[in-house]
Amino acid sequence: MEEERQLRGKRRKKRRFRKRGILFLLMIVLLALGAYFFMQYQSGKKLAEESDLPEVEFNNDEENDGYENILVLGVDARGEEKSRTDTMMLVAHNKETNDVKVVSFMRDIYAEIPGYQSYKLNTAYYLGGVDLLADTLRNMFGVEIQHYALVDFSSFEKLVDIAAPNGVEMDVEKDMSENIGVSLTQGEQRLNGKELLGYARFRADNEGDFGRVRRQQQVLAALKEEMISISAIPKFPKLAGAAQGYVQTDMPVLDQVKLATDMATGGTEGVERLTIPVEGSYSYGSYAQAGSVLEINLEQNRQALSEFLDQPLQ
C-alpha cells in the first residue's frame, strides 16, 4: 500500500510538472507574439513618421447604434497646400450585421457647394477640405457622415507594399500607361503599390472616369482578398502602425481595427458596391467655371442611394 501511495504521488508530481511546463511554454509563446506585434507595429509607425498629413477640420454627425458612415478620400497632394480628390467613397458599416457597403461618387458630378457657386464635386475639397466636401454630400444626398479617412496616393503605395510585399493579384484588362506613371501590360499579374495605384487611376479610354471608378472598386475588392489570406496575418501589426502615420482619420485605433476586420471578412454578403450617378440618371454638360461635368438627376440618385444603404436620409 505504501508503495502504491508513493507511485501515485510521483505520478501527480509528474502531471503537475508537465502542466507547469506547458503553461510556461504558453507564456513564452504569448510573450514572443506580443513582442513581435509590438516591434512590427513600431516598425510600421516609424516608416510613416515623415508623412506630412494636412490638418483636418471635421464636424461629424452623431454616432448611432445601427450604422456608421466613413468618408474615404484619396488625394494627390504632390506637396501642394491645396489639392483635389481623385477618390471619394462612402464606406457604410452596419454595426449589427458587420456588413460593409461602399459608394463611389464620380468626381465630375456638378454639385452645389455650400457658400460657393456650383463646381465639380471634387472641387469642394480644394475649396474647404474634408468638412466642405462632407457638407456638400450631406446637402445633395441626405447622408450622414460620422467619420473620415484621408490618404495621399504616395502613402497608399507604401501601405500596399507593406500589406502585400509580393504584390496584389489583378487582371489588367488592357495595356495602360498614359498619365499613370507606370506601364502595365494586359493579363493577370501581381501589382506592387505604385502599379496598383496606376491601374486604379487610369482613365485614358472610352470609359473615362466611369472606368476609373470601376477599377478603384476592383482594387478595393482585390485588397480585401489579399488581406483575408493567411499569409497576410503576420503583416497586420506593421500595417496598423504605418496606418497611424499614412492615414489621417478621426476614428480611434480600435475602431479602425474593427472596421478593417469587418471589411476583410465582409459580413454576410461581402463588400457591396454602388457608383453615383447610377446608370441612366445623368447627362453631360459644360460650364465656364467648371468645364465638362456630369449633370445628375438628384432625386433618382438619392433614391438609389437610400435603397442601397438601407438608411434613413436627411
Side-chain angles (χ1 to χ4, degrees):
M1 293 291 292
E2 183 64 28
E3 289 181 359
E4 288 183 8
R5 283 198 294 271
Q6 289 178 352
L7 284 172
R8 284 198 295 270
K10 288 180 180 179
R11 291 193 190 105
R12 283 196 291 270
K13 286 181 181 179
K14 285 182 179 179
R15 283 196 293 269
R16 283 199 297 269
F17 285 138
R18 195 176 296 119
K19 287 180 181 178
R20 288 174 182 172
I22 292 172
L23 286 173
F24 179 73
L25 287 174
L26 183 59
M27 288 178 61
I28 294 296
V29 170
L30 290 175
L31 286 171
L33 284 173
Y36 170 79
F37 288 153
F38 177 77
M39 288 188 293
Q40 288 294 302
Y41 179 88
Q42 290 299 114
S43 173
K45 199 171 181 181
K46 188 173 182 180
L47 285 174
E49 282 180 352
E50 296 181 1
S51 177
D52 187 21
L53 293 172
E55 291 293 325
V56 172
E57 292 184 7
F58 180 68
N59 295 310
N60 61 303
D61 289 313
E62 289 185 8
E63 298 283 347
N64 63 73
D65 295 331
Y67 60 86
E68 61 182 347
N69 295 332
I70 303 98
L71 181 60
V72 179
L73 305 176
V75 180
D76 186 13
R78 302 183 187 181
E80 298 176 3
E81 185 177 346
K82 285 191 171 186
S83 57
R84 287 177 171 81
T85 49
D86 264 13
T87 303
M88 294 174 287
M89 293 181 176
L90 190 72
V91 177
H93 175 217
N94 187 311
K95 297 179 182 179
E96 297 174 353
T97 64
N98 283 339
D99 287 336
V100 175
K101 298 180 179 181
V102 176
V103 182
S104 296
F105 294 93
M106 301 285 290
R107 68 177 196 168
D108 289 346
I109 292 172
Y110 194 52
E112 294 183 8
I113 301 175
Y116 297 86
Q117 61 180 316
S118 296
Y119 288 101
K120 292 180 180 180
L121 180 60
N122 70 333
T123 306
Y125 178 80
Y126 177 84
L127 295 172
V130 175
D131 218 19
L132 184 58
L133 178 54
D135 280 344
T136 301
L137 293 173
R138 290 183 182 112
N139 290 347
M140 289 185 70
F141 300 102
V143 294
E144 293 182 4
I145 302 176
Q146 280 79 24
H147 299 288
Y148 78 90
L150 180 69
V151 60
D152 181 73
F153 287 148
S154 62
S155 298
F156 172 83
E157 294 177 13
K158 294 166 185 172
L159 287 169
V160 169
D161 289 337
I162 292 172
N166 295 320
V168 176
E169 188 171 339
M170 290 295 301
D171 186 4
V172 180
E173 67 265 27
K174 65 185 72 175
D175 291 350
M176 301 176 181
S177 61
E178 188 174 340
N179 298 325
I180 59 173
V182 293
S183 293
L184 304 177
T185 55
Q186 183 179 3
E188 291 188 9
Q189 53 201 285
R190 299 194 72 85
L191 305 182
N192 62 28
K194 187 173 183 178
E195 292 166 338
L196 193 65
L197 177 63
Y199 176 78
R201 299 190 67 191
F202 180 77
R203 62 169 183 160
D205 58 9
N206 293 334
E207 289 185 279
D209 213 34
F210 284 94
R212 172 161 56 182
V213 168
R214 175 178 58 77
R215 280 183 282 273
Q216 288 172 357
Q217 294 177 341
Q218 287 176 335
V219 165
L220 186 67
L223 284 171
K224 175 208 163 188
E225 291 301 315
E226 189 69 32
M227 295 311 297
I228 63 176
S229 65
I230 295 177
S231 62
I233 294 175
K235 306 177 185 72
F236 286 168
K238 188 174 182 179
L239 182 62
Q244 300 313 302
Y246 285 142
V247 180
Q248 177 81 312
T249 182
D250 65 330
M251 295 184 70
V253 175
L254 290 178
D255 289 351
Q256 294 177 44
V257 172
K258 186 178 187 309
L259 177 63
T261 302
D262 290 340
M263 285 192 68
T265 57
T268 57
E269 300 293 339
V271 179
E272 297 181 62
R273 302 186 293 275
L274 176 73
T275 297
I276 297 292
V278 296
E279 188 174 352
S281 71
Y282 63 91
S283 59
Y284 293 96
S286 182
Y287 296 87
Q289 81 281 9
S292 179
V293 299
L294 294 173
E295 295 187 289
I296 71 171
N297 182 320
L298 191 55
E299 189 56 39
Q300 186 177 346
N301 281 282
R302 283 175 64 101
Q303 181 66 27
L305 187 60
S306 176
E307 292 175 358
F308 177 74
L309 294 178
D310 193 24
Q311 296 177 8
L313 299 183
Q314 299 173 1

